[in-house]
Amino acid sequence: MDVTAVSEAVALMAATGAVSGVAEHAAVGVVARIRERVRVVFDTDARSTDALEQAVEHPSDEARIGELAAALTWYARRDEGFAAELASWAAEYAPTRSVVQNVRAGRDAYMAGRDMTINQRRDPSA
Protein backbone atom coordinates (compact mmCIF):
# COMPACT_ATOMS: atom_id res chain seq x y z
CA MET A 1 0.00 0.00 0.00
CA ASP A 2 1.32 3.42 -0.97
CA VAL A 3 0.46 5.48 2.11
CA THR A 4 1.22 8.77 0.37
CA ALA A 5 -1.10 8.06 -2.58
CA VAL A 6 -3.86 6.85 -0.27
CA SER A 7 -3.46 9.95 1.91
CA GLU A 8 -3.65 12.21 -1.14
CA ALA A 9 -6.88 10.53 -2.27
CA VAL A 10 -8.47 10.86 1.17
CA ALA A 11 -7.31 14.48 1.50
CA LEU A 12 -9.00 15.25 -1.82
CA MET A 13 -12.22 13.60 -0.65
CA ALA A 14 -12.17 15.34 2.74
CA ALA A 15 -11.43 18.76 1.23
CA THR A 16 -13.73 18.74 -1.78
CA GLY A 17 -16.46 16.39 -0.65
CA ALA A 18 -16.05 14.47 -3.92
CA VAL A 19 -16.64 10.75 -3.56
CA SER A 20 -17.67 8.17 -6.09
CA GLY A 21 -19.85 5.10 -5.89
CA VAL A 22 -22.63 6.56 -3.73
CA ALA A 23 -25.62 8.83 -4.24
CA GLU A 24 -25.22 12.54 -3.51
CA HIS A 25 -27.10 12.36 -0.20
CA ALA A 26 -25.03 9.38 0.94
CA ALA A 27 -21.82 11.13 -0.19
CA VAL A 28 -22.45 13.95 2.28
CA GLY A 29 -22.61 11.40 5.11
CA VAL A 30 -19.49 9.57 3.93
CA VAL A 31 -17.48 12.79 3.76
CA ALA A 32 -18.75 13.90 7.18
CA ARG A 33 -17.68 10.56 8.71
CA ILE A 34 -14.25 10.79 7.07
CA ARG A 35 -13.74 14.34 8.33
CA GLU A 36 -14.87 13.42 11.85
CA ARG A 37 -12.59 10.36 12.00
CA VAL A 38 -9.64 12.46 10.82
CA ARG A 39 -10.41 15.05 13.52
CA VAL A 40 -10.37 12.28 16.14
CA VAL A 41 -7.02 10.98 14.88
CA PHE A 42 -5.54 14.48 14.82
CA ASP A 43 -6.90 14.94 18.39
CA THR A 44 -4.97 17.81 20.00
CA ASP A 45 -2.60 18.41 17.07
CA ALA A 46 -3.63 21.96 16.24
CA ARG A 47 -1.46 22.17 13.13
CA SER A 48 -2.96 19.05 11.52
CA THR A 49 -6.48 20.03 12.53
CA ASP A 50 -5.89 23.44 10.95
CA ALA A 51 -4.68 21.72 7.76
CA LEU A 52 -7.99 19.85 7.61
CA GLU A 53 -10.07 22.98 8.26
CA GLN A 54 -8.11 25.05 5.72
CA ALA A 55 -8.47 22.34 3.06
CA VAL A 56 -12.23 22.15 3.67
CA GLU A 57 -12.57 25.95 3.55
CA HIS A 58 -10.45 26.23 0.38
CA PRO A 59 -11.08 23.01 -1.60
CA SER A 60 -9.57 24.35 -4.82
CA ASP A 61 -6.23 25.22 -3.18
CA GLU A 62 -3.90 22.34 -4.03
CA ALA A 63 -1.29 23.51 -1.50
CA ARG A 64 -3.78 23.23 1.37
CA ILE A 65 -4.92 19.81 0.19
CA GLY A 66 -1.23 18.83 0.02
CA GLU A 67 -0.72 19.93 3.64
CA LEU A 68 -3.68 17.80 4.70
CA ALA A 69 -2.30 14.84 2.72
CA ALA A 70 1.08 15.26 4.44
CA ALA A 71 -0.58 15.23 7.86
CA LEU A 72 -2.61 12.13 6.95
CA THR A 73 0.55 10.42 5.70
CA TRP A 74 2.39 11.21 8.93
CA TYR A 75 -0.36 9.70 11.07
CA ALA A 76 -0.87 6.71 8.77
CA ARG A 77 2.81 5.79 9.00
CA ARG A 78 2.53 5.66 12.78
CA ASP A 79 -0.83 3.88 13.04
CA GLU A 80 -1.42 0.82 10.87
CA GLY A 81 -5.12 0.77 11.75
CA PHE A 82 -5.57 4.33 10.53
CA ALA A 83 -3.56 3.53 7.40
CA ALA A 84 -5.92 0.63 6.71
CA GLU A 85 -8.92 2.97 7.14
CA LEU A 86 -7.41 5.43 4.65
CA ALA A 87 -6.77 2.61 2.18
CA SER A 88 -10.33 1.37 2.57
CA TRP A 89 -11.81 4.83 1.97
CA ALA A 90 -9.57 5.42 -1.03
CA ALA A 91 -10.45 2.05 -2.56
CA GLU A 92 -14.18 2.46 -2.02
CA TYR A 93 -14.85 6.17 -2.56
CA ALA A 94 -11.91 7.86 -4.32
CA PRO A 95 -13.03 10.00 -7.23
CA THR A 96 -11.15 9.93 -10.47
CA ARG A 97 -8.59 12.72 -10.60
CA SER A 98 -8.69 13.32 -14.32
CA VAL A 99 -11.30 15.09 -16.37
CA VAL A 100 -11.24 15.13 -20.12
CA GLN A 101 -12.89 17.87 -22.12
CA ASN A 102 -12.93 17.97 -25.88
CA VAL A 103 -13.96 21.32 -27.29
CA ARG A 104 -14.40 22.18 -30.93
CA ALA A 105 -15.74 25.64 -31.55
CA GLY A 106 -15.70 28.17 -34.33
CA ARG A 107 -15.85 30.85 -31.69
CA ASP A 108 -14.28 31.73 -28.36
CA ALA A 109 -15.08 29.10 -25.74
CA TYR A 110 -14.16 29.40 -22.04
CA MET A 111 -14.63 26.39 -19.79
CA ALA A 112 -14.18 25.96 -16.06
CA GLY A 113 -15.50 22.86 -14.35
CA ARG A 114 -19.11 22.42 -15.34
CA ASP A 115 -19.54 26.03 -16.50
CA MET A 116 -19.09 27.08 -20.07
CA THR A 117 -19.29 30.49 -21.72
CA ILE A 118 -19.33 30.86 -25.47
CA ASN A 119 -18.81 34.29 -26.99
CA GLN A 120 -19.75 34.59 -30.59
CA ARG A 121 -17.58 36.93 -32.57
CA ARG A 122 -17.74 38.22 -36.05
CA ASP A 123 -15.61 36.47 -38.59
CA PRO A 124 -12.77 38.91 -39.38
CA SER A 125 -12.56 37.63 -42.94
CA ALA A 126 -16.21 38.57 -43.67
Side-chain angles (χ1 to χ4, degrees), residues 16-59:
T16 65
V19 296
S20 65
V22 293
E24 186 174 340
H25 178 70
V28 171
V30 167
V31 171
R33 284 191 303 277
I34 290 171
R35 289 175 180 166
E36 187 55 35
R37 177 63 177 128
V38 169
R39 282 185 186 97
V40 168
V41 169
F42 288 170
D43 192 28
T44 59
D45 181 352
R47 183 176 180 190
S48 295
T49 302
D50 185 57
L52 172 63
E53 299 305 327
Q54 289 297 314
V56 170
E57 288 178 30
H58 305 280

Side-chain angles (χ1 to χ4, degrees), residues 57-76:
E57 288 178 30
H58 305 280
S60 62
D61 188 335
E62 290 183 26
R64 292 175 195 223
I65 294 172
E67 289 174 19
L68 174 58
L72 291 170
T73 300
W74 192 87
Y75 279 94

